[in-house]
Amino acid sequence: MRRSLGLLLLICAVGLAQKAPTLPGTDPAVAGPAAPGPAAPGPATQGGRGGTAVAPEAPGSGRGRGATAAPATAPGPKDLKYPPARTVQIPAFTTFTLPNGMKVCLLEDHELPVVTGSVLVRTGSLFDPPERIGLAQLTGTLLRAGGTALKTGEQLDDMLEALGAVIDSSIGESQGTVTFITLKENTDRVLVLLKEMLTQPGFRSEKLESTRGQVRTAVGHRNDSPETITTREMRGLVYGKDTPFGWDAQYGTLDRITRGDVRNFYQRYFFPANLIFGVQGDFDSGKMKATLEAMFADWTVQQKPVPEFPKVKIAPSPGIFLAEKKDATQATFTIGHLGGQHRDKDSAALEIATFILGGPRGRLVERSRVKMGSPSEIRVTWGVAPDHQGLFQLTGSTRSISILETIKIVQEELERLRTAEVTEDELRLARETAMAKAIAETDSKAKIFSTLLGFEYYGYPKDYIQERQKALLAVTRADILRAAKASIVPANLTIVVSGSPMLFGDSLERLGPVTKLDITIPQPKGELAESTDTSLAQGKQMLQKAQAAIGGADRLAAVRDYSMVAQYQIDPAIQSLGGSKITQTDRWVSPTVFRQDSVLPSGAVAAYTDGKIGWIYTPQGWGALAGSQAKQVFGDLFRIYFRLFLSDRLEGRTINAIDDTTLQISDATGQVCSVEIDTQTGLPRKISYDTPQAAGPPIYTEEVYEDFRDIAGIKIPFKFAINQAGRKFADVVVNEYKMNAGIKPAELAKRPQ
């Protein structure tokens, strides 16, 4: 997304990150000391942290005169003095509710000529239907990227760039967020665009498909990182993979999501009484209130109250689990169980305990350094969430040969934390680190205001910032011991290891029974959309309208053969073939004889089928049509233009309306594709389907049609773009198209010499 340089500089100056308001400490931090030393006032005084003191030279004892000053004793950590933590000053802000039910919070800040805002929506992926996991994520992205009813996403980009402004949208686990930042003089115009997004989103189909493709690509790469594997599997095991806290989007759940699903999700949760709108920056509160009242006066949509978010299932899943990754050179692990919430009385003590365990000077690193000669990287978090239990996790990596020793060290240190008080030095350093983190989270008006919006959203008291800091300062050694005994339960620990067992120094079974995890990514199956008698009837009506727009069902049925010669310009970003031009000739004889001939940079390729069997020819020779190549050819045969739009006349085919503009066509062999109809012309605008691959999952593919020309009374697209996984693959131009030229099946069956 494009952003003007001037605005980016202002963003840096303000110190704002465009992110959803949250409670302080919600995002897990890497444990470790972060207490700064005092500033150096002069040349002969103490320097920063780790510095040494230097005594002044005696009179007449310059360099080279043989006399040097005796060095002063370097102060240790105990000798450093720190000023008391400052008290957070809560800025005064205005809160009111608009007549339509939308709550508004305003904070004036005239330091810079910038205005920022956040709209918080009570929704989240916790409300995803089990069969459509990923719906909230797609909706959150499309709210901005999908444009509005009046403007495309690209038009919004251009307008915002000209205004020096940014608007973003997203939906997370338990919060939807729309944020903006703009120069003061453009505030009203940006608010108009923001209102248009909130009240008239476009959710354009092409953006849904490109966004879906990007998320599908991420699904395909979810096993690339060992740490991603262990933390994901830990979450699924502890929360339960059948719950919204523990499940993940899959190809199938993403493919089921329609534009209608996105619209319905939006309509259920985006209404005034379900929003909190916070605005902060250089404005007059009275004028801003009047502006918002007038602007949103006509948005009076109502819905029944949103239900509570699902509750976490308290069901420990202890044990040792192995996610085998044979190509891994190191072993990665995540160990833990359920954590807590911000409101828990021991939250502060357990947060400080994590800094004692983890971090560059934590117990775990020191133990692994002493015992194994090289420290393992281990991060510890006592996960707290504002509205449900988070996860207590210890995540790290080590040499594969040391994995058992490392796990034993973790187990021993957890038991030590539960059975003996920490030292005064450990408590002091950990408390200073925790306080430094807490202060950094509230070191500007913008951060404080963002936090206060989070309080309002999650129902926390407005003085929670101060109370949290007081709680951190009040933690004692006895508090940590008591909290660790009560909240860290060794018998409930889930241990997930990712790596190659062949490289482990010893079998994990020395620690106990091991359960192997299946981390295979479920492959898409071209699943069918849900159908009813109504949707099936609507699907046939939509197909018949498309037939009429193309030229009529009778004309389509009269086509007995065709040939097409097209030029494919492969996108430069595509590996191997990027930038290439490919000439492809398709020939078909009714009903199922089909042949493709392609001229690639590497040579000629041909494929043939009679609808049952076939052959393929490459520069290396020819062979039987099989595997992914057969699936691709049979998919192309299924989507032959004349047959596809006569699917209501072909036995075994089903036509089902997915929404008002999209129908799904399938057959008994498992072939499936979606057809989007242009509402203005009635012609097919786009066809989407899965393309099988020789290795890896199928790729979501779409053909976007344009430049329709009349050939013997039938409208044929002479240009189309091919997108795969949400990215451009090729632009195609048809050079020649012939119908009913008398092609003989025997001609197509003849193999190249």
Side-chain angles (χ1 to χ4, degrees):
M1 190 173 295
R2 294 168 290 181
R3 302 184 178 187
S4 67
L5 177 60
L7 180 61
L8 289 175
L9 293 174
L10 277 172
I11 292 174
C12 294
V14 175
L16 283 177
Q18 288 291 306
K19 65 177 184 178
T22 58
L23 299 185
T26 298
D27 296 326
V30 177
T45 59
Q46 177 183 305
R49 181 177 53 176
T52 56
V54 181
E57 294 177 330
S61 59
R63 297 183 185 182
R65 299 290 297 272
T68 59
T73 303
K78 294 181 180 180
D79 301 316
L80 299 177
K81 303 297 181 184
Y82 300 92
R86 62 175 177 79
T87 302
V88 177
Q89 300 298 316
I90 303 298
F93 59 94
T94 304
T95 301
F96 56 91
T97 301
L98 298 179
N100 63 6
M102 184 165 66
K103 184 173 290 186
V104 179
C105 300
L106 304 179
L107 174 63
E108 291 187 33
D109 183 359
H110 303 287
E111 185 176 352
L112 288 170
V114 174
V115 176
T116 68
S118 297
V119 179
L120 308 187
V121 187
R122 185 170 178 76
T123 185
S125 61
L126 293 178
F127 288 141
D128 274 349
E131 70 280 2
R132 287 175 173 78
I133 303 169
L135 176 57
Q137 179 184 358
L138 292 183
T139 304
T141 301
L142 289 171
L143 191 70
R144 167 65 178 87
T148 70
L150 306 176
K151 302 174 183 69
T152 66
E154 290 75 16
Q155 288 172 328
L156 283 176
D157 289 343
D158 293 338
M159 295 178 72
L160 289 169
E161 183 178 27
L163 294 171
V166 175
I167 299 179
D168 287 320
S169 66
S170 64
I171 296 180
E173 184 179 70
S174 61
Q175 186 182 95
T177 310
V178 183
T179 61
F180 76 88
I181 180 167
T182 180
L183 302 172
K184 173 184 178 180
E185 61 267 26
N186 297 327
T187 301
D188 287 350
R189 283 177 285 181
V190 172
L191 286 174
V192 169
L193 294 177
L194 179 75
K195 189 232 179 174
E196 193 175 310
M197 280 178 48
L198 286 173
T199 62
Q200 303 178 72
F203 299 131
R204 283 173 168 74
S205 297
E206 64 271 20
K207 291 298 183 180
L208 169 59
E209 301 308 337
S210 63
T211 303
R212 189 204 317 267
Q214 292 165 9
V215 179
R216 287 173 110 261
T217 298
V219 169
H221 289 280
R222 66 168 43 146
N223 287 337
D224 291 357
S225 164
E227 184 174 322
T228 299
I229 294 172
T230 60
T231 54
R232 181 188 71 234
E233 295 300 318
M234 165 68 71
R235 177 167 46 83
L237 288 164
V238 175
Y239 285 131
K241 293 187 178 183
D242 59 344
T243 75
F245 298 97
W247 64 35
D248 293 290
Q250 306 291 352
Y251 292 123
T253 67
L254 291 167
D255 292 347
R256 292 190 191 102
I257 298 171
T258 68
R259 188 183 181 201
D261 294 327
V262 173
R263 283 174 174 166
N264 292 337
F265 191 92
Y266 158 80
Q267 290 170 355
R268 178 63 186 93
Y269 300 108
F270 282 74
F271 58 96
N274 199 43
L275 311 183
I276 298 175
F277 191 1
V279 188
Q280 181 251 335
D282 192 6
F283 57 81
D284 176 87
S285 292
K287 293 181 180 178
M288 180 62 73
K289 179 180 180 181
T291 297
L292 296 179
E293 286 177 340
M295 183 173 294
F296 288 98
D298 61 348
W299 193 28
T300 57
V301 175
Q302 296 183 1
Q303 287 278 8
K304 61 183 180 181
V306 172
E308 291 187 0
F309 288 114
K311 302 298 183 184
V312 171
K313 180 176 65 176
I314 310 298
S317 54
I320 303 169
F321 300 86
L322 173 64
E324 188 170 352
K325 198 166 172 60
K326 295 181 179 180
D327 59 343
T329 57
Q330 283 195 311
T332 303
F333 61 90
T334 298
I335 302 172
H337 56 53
L338 275 178
Q341 295 189 55
H342 283 286
R343 292 185 173 93
D344 296 343
K345 67 174 183 177
D346 288 332
S347 178
L350 291 164
E351 180 180 351
I352 289 178
T354 64
F355 288 103
I356 293 172
L357 282 172
R361 296 173 61 184
R363 286 181 172 183
L364 292 171
V365 170
E366 292 300 322
R367 277 289 308 277
S368 61
R369 178 184 291 115
V370 170
K371 190 164 185 176
M372 294 181 291
S374 62
S376 302
E377 179 189 351
I378 304 174
R379 295 183 307 285
V380 185
T381 56
W382 179 259
V384 290
D387 55 352
H388 65 269
Q389 286 179 285
L391 291 177
F392 168 50
Q393 293 187 112
L394 302 94
T395 300
S397 59
T398 186
R399 294 179 302 173
S400 295
I401 198 172
S402 304
I403 182 62
L404 266 71
E405 284 185 280
T406 301
I407 293 174
K408 288 178 181 177
I409 288 173
V410 171
Q411 293 172 325
E412 291 168 2
E413 288 301 328
L414 289 176
E415 188 61 28
R416 179 184 167 200
L417 192 69
R418 298 176 68 256
T419 54
E421 289 187 354
V422 301
T423 68
E424 197 62 47
D425 280 349
E426 287 177 321
L427 173 59
R428 179 180 60 84
L429 287 172
R431 183 192 291 122
E432 289 167 358
T433 303
M435 283 301 300
K437 176 176 176 286
I439 291 171
E441 292 171 339
T442 56
D443 60 3
S444 70
K445 281 187 179 181
K447 291 181 181 179
I448 294 173
F449 185 60
S450 177
T451 299
L452 293 175
L453 283 181
F455 292 162
E456 192 73 37
Y457 181 84
Y458 287 109
Y460 276 65
K462 289 183 172 58
D463 63 351
Y464 181 79
I465 297 177
Q466 297 98 321
E467 293 303 313
R468 175 172 177 255
Q469 292 190 8
K470 289 178 184 178
L472 290 171
L473 290 171
V475 170
T476 66
R477 295 160 60 197
D479 289 336
I480 294 175
L481 178 59
R482 174 184 50 75
K485 282 183 177 179
S487 301
I488 298 176
V489 185
N492 289 346
L493 287 176
T494 301
I495 301 173
V496 181
V497 178
S498 177
S500 174
M502 297 293 293
L503 301 179
F504 295 168
D506 208 338
S507 171
L508 285 178
E509 293 182 351
R510 293 285 297 273
L511 300 173
V514 176
T515 301
K516 289 189 176 181
L517 297 172
D518 180 7
I519 60 173
T520 304
I521 301 169
Q523 298 302 307
K525 300 177 181 179
E527 298 183 19
L528 300 178
E530 298 173 2
S531 63
T532 63
D533 291 342
T534 301
S535 67
L536 292 171
Q538 183 185 358
K540 285 190 176 182
Q541 291 175 359
M542 292 172 63
L543 182 64
Q544 289 166 1
K545 289 181 180 179
Q547 291 170 349
I550 291 171
D554 291 341
R555 280 199 177 100
L556 288 169
V559 178
R560 308 309 301 165
D561 64 64
Y562 87 90
S563 65
M564 180 186 76
V565 180
Q567 192 82 28
Y568 287 66
Q569 178 64 61
I570 309 300
D571 191 82
I574 302 301
Q575 291 185 355
S576 302
L577 292 174
S580 302
K581 288 185 178 181
I582 297 173
T583 300
Q584 180 168 300
T585 301
D586 289 359
R587 288 177 286 174
W588 167 77
V589 176
S590 180
T592 58
V593 179
F594 181 59
R595 175 166 172 165
Q596 288 179 333
D597 290 270
S598 303
V599 180
L600 284 69
S602 58
V605 175
Y608 162 83
T609 181
D610 62 6
K612 295 180 180 179
I613 60 173
W615 49 258
I616 186 166
Y617 171 85
T618 71
Q620 288 74 41
W622 70 276
L625 188 65
S628 62
Q629 295 167 334
K631 292 179 181 179
Q632 288 185 25
V633 172
F634 286 126
D636 289 340
L637 177 60
F638 170 76
R639 295 185 299 274
I640 291 288
Y641 192 72
F642 309 101
R643 287 173 59 80
L644 187 65
F645 288 98
L646 284 177
S647 289
D648 57 341
R649 298 189 179 188
L650 299 181
E651 185 178 354
R653 293 204 177 187
T654 301
I655 304 98
N656 183 35
I658 296 176
D659 55 33
D660 293 341
T661 62
T662 308
L663 54 88
Q664 186 181 76
I665 301 175
S666 60
D667 71 4
T669 69
Q671 295 288 348
V672 183
C673 75
S674 295
V675 180
E676 183 182 322
I677 306 299
D678 188 309
T679 55
Q680 293 182 344
T681 66
L683 294 169
R685 197 192 76 80
K686 180 176 61 180
I687 294 178
S688 54
Y689 51 90
D690 282 332
T691 299
Q693 302 296 298
I699 297 179
Y700 181 80
T701 304
E702 56 186 15
E703 300 175 6
V704 183
Y705 297 143
E706 59 178 313
D707 190 18
F708 281 83
R709 301 181 189 179
D710 191 296
I711 305 292
I714 298 176
K715 290 183 173 61
I716 304 292
F718 267 63
K719 289 183 181 179
F720 55 97
I722 299 178
N723 303 318
Q724 291 192 333
R727 299 174 182 173
K728 174 66 71 66
F729 176 78
D731 286 311
V732 183
V733 176
V734 176
N735 297 327
E736 179 181 289
Y737 210 106
K738 295 180 180 180
M739 294 187 298
N740 294 330
I743 302 174
K744 304 299 182 183
E747 296 177 22
L748 305 189
K750 187 177 180 180
R751 292 196 298 268
Q753 298 300 316

